[in-house]
């Protein structure tokens, strides 16, 4: 099983910030696209943001202008900087890898999900 590791979640007040991280420590030689999804309590999982292996990013309308996705190639880590958080951003946030490139062993990164990190925003 591929280990996709999210971290950085927590509890903040409205208007606060958090930075989530996503790493795949055993596949640092692979290039791949990274997605962030979230699942609010009692709701379906929804797309938040994505960055491809070349650094092109996209965002859900609900987070545009507040969230920024980036990647640190040297640290093999993708970040999701979340500013001006609101109670409606409360959710479990998941990282997913996809479209791997490189060595054949990178193929396990097709659709690999992490366990999630909880973000709670109070009003």
């Amino acid at each position: 099983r591929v280990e996709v590791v999210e971290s950085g979640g927590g509890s903040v007040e409205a208007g606060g910030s958090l930075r989530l991280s996503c790493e795949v420590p055993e596949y640092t030689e692979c290039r791949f696209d990274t997605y962030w999804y979230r699942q609010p309590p009692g709701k379906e999982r929804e797309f938040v943001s994505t960055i491809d292996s070349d650094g092109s990013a996209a965002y859900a309308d609900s987070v545009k202008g507040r969230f920024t996705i980036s990647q640190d190639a040297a640290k093999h880590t993708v970040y999701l900087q979340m500013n001006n958080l609101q109670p409606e951003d409360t959710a479990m946030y998941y990282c997913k890898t996809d479209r791997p490139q490189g060595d054949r062993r990178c193929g396990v990164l097709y659709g690999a999900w992490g366990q999630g990190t909880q973000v709670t925003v109070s009003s």
Side-chain angles (χ1 to χ4, degrees):
R1 183 181 173 277
V2 177
E3 185 182 26
V4 179
V5 182
E6 303 104 331
S7 61
S11 297
V12 297
E13 294 184 351
S17 298
L18 286 171
R19 188 177 76 162
L20 306 184
S21 300
C22 176
E23 301 175 80
V24 188
E26 297 181 356
Y27 294 87
T28 57
E29 79 280 15
C30 302
R31 285 162 53 87
F32 48 87
D33 298 353
T34 304
Y35 294 77
W36 283 101
Y37 284 78
R38 66 186 182 186
Q39 187 164 15
K43 295 185 179 180
E44 297 289 316
R45 193 172 296 189
E46 61 185 23
F47 167 78
V48 175
S49 182
T50 183
I51 188 165
D52 69 16
S53 56
D54 293 322
S56 295
Y59 301 90
D61 288 343
S62 59
V63 306
K64 279 181 183 176
R66 300 188 299 123
F67 291 12
T68 303
I69 193 169
S70 62
Q71 55 190 6
D72 184 330
K75 295 183 178 180
H76 308 288
T77 301
V78 169
Y79 301 102
L80 185 68
Q81 178 67 43
M82 306 185 296
N83 297 329
N84 191 23
L85 283 161
Q86 300 300 314
E88 53 266 33
D89 295 315
T90 294
M92 184 71 80
Y93 283 71
Y94 297 91
C95 178
K96 187 185 85 167
T97 62
D98 213 345
R99 297 204 319 130
Q101 303 166 45
D103 189 78
R104 189 174 177 179
R105 72 184 293 265
C106 300
V108 298
L109 297 174
Y110 275 110
W113 291 87
Q115 295 295 306
T117 185
Q118 178 67 39
V119 172
T120 302
V121 186
S122 58
S123 57

